[in-house]
Amino acid sequence: MVKRYRIEYDRSACIGATICVQTDPKNWIMSDDVKADLLNGQKQASDGLYVKEMEDEDMEDLLNAARSCPVRIIRVKDLETGDYLV
Ligand code: SF4
């Protein structure tokens, strides 16, 4: 069975280090305000986080980006177990 993950991104805390964009350009792009945007991320009204769901075959670069972010604002939740991988 394909595993699914939820990406949670706190854009307000981004310092524009660009590591995510360099590591995983399929999912991240730099914006004019020098913060990264999570492509196809949906902003949550409740907490302001940008969120999207992905399947495990797409996850390797995104996990590397999340682990490389210097301010640790990219989190990855396993939707099966509820555990955070990053
Ligand atoms: S690596 Fe982190 S701080 Fe750097 S641009 Fe990406 S989200 Fe922002």
Side-chain angles (χ1 to χ4, degrees):
M1 199 179 93
V2 176
K3 292 190 71 167
R4 292 190 61 78
Y5 299 88
R6 177 178 144 116
I7 318 309
E8 301 174 357
Y9 170 48
D10 181 4
R11 190 181 191 278
S12 66
C14 175
I15 61 170
T18 75
I19 295 165
C20 56
V21 177
Q22 295 172 50
T23 307
D24 183 22
K26 280 191 298 199
N27 286 300
W28 301 93
I29 189 168
M30 289 309 291
S31 179
D32 289 344
D33 63 357
V34 200
K35 290 178 181 283
D37 282 326
L38 174 61
L39 292 172
N40 300 316
Q42 300 292 319
K43 188 173 184 179
Q44 307 299 292
S46 53
D47 53 15
L49 297 179
Y50 286 79
V51 167
K52 79 169 175 180
E53 294 189 6
M54 294 177 61
E55 296 181 348
D56 55 357
E57 63 220 40
D58 305 325
M59 287 298 297
E60 189 176 340
D61 287 349
L62 194 135
L63 279 168
N64 286 331
R67 291 181 177 125
S68 301
C69 174
V71 284
R72 310 286 296 190
I73 52 176
I74 305 168
R75 303 199 71 201
V76 181
K77 185 177 190 177
D78 182 328
L79 289 174
E80 197 175 315
T81 65
D83 294 336
Y84 281 91
L85 305 182
V86 184

